[in-house]
Amino acid sequence: MWMTWREAMRTALYGPAGFYARGEPPSGHFRTSAHVSSAYAGAMLSLLREADATLGRPARLDLVDIGAGRGELLGQLLGLIDEATPAGRDGGLAARIAVRAVEITPRPDGLDPRIRWQASPPTAITGLVIASEWLDNIPLDVAELTPDGPRLVLVDTGSGAERPGPPPRPADLAWSRAWWPLHEPGDRAELGRTRCRAWAGVVRRITRGLAVAADYGHLRAGRPQGGTLTGYRDGRVVRAIPDGSRDITAHVALDACAAAGRAAGATATVLTTQRQALRALGVTGRRPPVAQAGSDPLGYARALSRASGEAELIDAQGLGGFGWLVQAVGLDIPAPLTGLGGLPA
């Protein structure tokens, strides 16, 4: 069946028999930062505490994870908060936090009962919103410049074959002119207006707080001419065939999303890499001293494992190359992230 890429992605990922709708565990197909190391949760907890302090430790502090998978990140965050509570280091956070996982899949068995499972974000949020590898799964159209002008790319959902279709909508053409111009026949643009709209919708729900999007991304000066549509299945990169058997992703125009967030009410923005952001939040990947192996072999092994996970999180050729879009509403960007540089162009 021939469809636009936007229609095909929506059906393949979120239709009745779609990849996510049927409850496929993402960890069986690809590794996210939350699967790699609890240091990622630790960094997010640092941001949550920064926001909490700036907000004056409100009676209810929201923690929302959009595209929560099976709740791994929120479970780790709650575990870290619990560890700090007996020692009195959490500032009463455990009693004030309202935790929500936003997912379309059924609630997993055995999930911490403190995590509320819902299909859409709360309408009013005071606290922290996390969107790790969410925007790249929002369906979008693909346009290609032909001798007759830009045309939407149609895809056969069974084979992945493509052919030119009708012209894009005027709003998508305007988005392309602003954010992903097409210059030569054969150039392609992944029309990220749907991602901008989704991100702006998140920012509008924040009364006061922070929103963090972490994803593979690019900037206007360095858009990939051939696009980035990719499939993942069983831990491997595969062709982007929208037949429901695999994850389908495309990298995110994070600068365009940042502009949409500002238009929606964000009062401060940082656009940087995961490597820079996590290092600023204390994730170093530093190996323990070798001497520890003799005096404390078990502790050394644990520290070495932690360092390995942290190193993977900040590897510039892997997860560390993710873009981080951090936007604040009604407060400042947390001090550790202030002044960080942008994504490579």
Side-chain angles (χ1 to χ4, degrees), residues 6-304:
R6 182 179 175 186
E7 294 167 335
M9 285 183 70
R10 183 187 299 114
T11 301
L13 297 178
Y14 307 113
F19 181 82
Y20 285 109
R22 66 173 181 263
E24 283 282 342
S27 59
H29 300 275
F30 52 86
R31 280 162 65 81
T32 70
S33 295
H35 300 140
V36 168
S37 172
S38 61
Y40 189 72
M44 292 299 179
L45 181 55
S46 295
L47 291 180
L48 182 67
R49 285 176 169 153
E50 291 271 354
D52 186 36
T54 303
L55 292 167
R57 296 186 169 81
R60 191 192 78 185
L61 183 71
D62 294 311
L63 172 61
V64 182
D65 186 9
I66 302 178
R70 299 184 68 81
E72 297 95 337
L73 177 59
L74 292 178
Q76 292 171 17
L77 275 159
L78 285 171
L80 293 173
I81 291 170
D82 289 344
E83 288 177 9
T85 299
R89 300 195 306 271
D90 76 337
L93 189 60
R96 296 183 290 109
I97 194 169
V99 185
R100 293 174 175 85
V102 179
E103 261 295 354
I104 66 164
T105 59
R107 181 187 180 94
D109 294 334
L111 190 68
D112 190 310
R114 293 173 291 180
I115 300 174
R116 182 173 175 179
W117 198 264
Q118 54 196 70
S120 59
T123 56
I125 299 168
T126 300
L128 174 65
V129 179
I130 304 167
S132 296
E133 299 186 62
W134 170 60
L135 288 170
D136 69 305
N137 285 131
I138 292 177
L140 47 61
D141 276 324
V142 178
E144 182 171 325
L145 186 59
T146 74
D148 298 322
R151 291 290 185 269
L152 292 179
V153 176
L154 303 182
V155 59
D156 179 70
T157 57
S159 68
E162 295 179 335
R163 71 186 187 195
R169 301 173 184 87
D172 283 323
L173 284 173
W175 186 94
S176 177
R177 284 193 294 270
W179 295 107
W180 198 326
L182 299 171
H183 301 291
E184 302 291 338
D187 284 357
R188 285 191 167 199
E190 291 161 352
L191 302 173
R193 187 171 62 91
T194 50
R195 278 100 181 267
C196 292
R197 188 169 61 226
W199 182 249
V202 170
V203 172
R204 288 191 188 97
R205 292 170 186 257
I206 300 175
T207 305
R208 291 185 71 207
L210 299 173
V212 180
D215 246 311
Y216 279 121
H218 41 63
L219 301 181
R220 189 182 189 280
R223 306 283 190 226
Q225 290 183 341
T228 63
L229 278 168
T230 307
Y232 290 92
R233 184 172 65 188
D234 300 328
R236 296 181 297 112
V237 176
V238 295
R239 280 188 63 204
I241 300 175
D243 59 1
S245 70
R246 64 202 70 196
D247 185 28
I248 303 291
T249 77
H251 295 188
V252 183
L254 286 169
D255 48 353
C257 290
R262 285 190 290 268
T267 52
T269 298
V270 165
L271 186 56
T272 187
T273 64
Q274 176 156 302
R275 177 179 175 84
Q276 291 175 309
L278 290 185
R279 285 169 66 91
L281 293 168
V283 179
T284 65
R286 188 175 299 115
R287 296 165 64 94
V290 176
Q292 185 182 350
S295 59
D296 180 16
L298 183 58
Y300 176 78
R302 289 173 176 165
L304 193 62

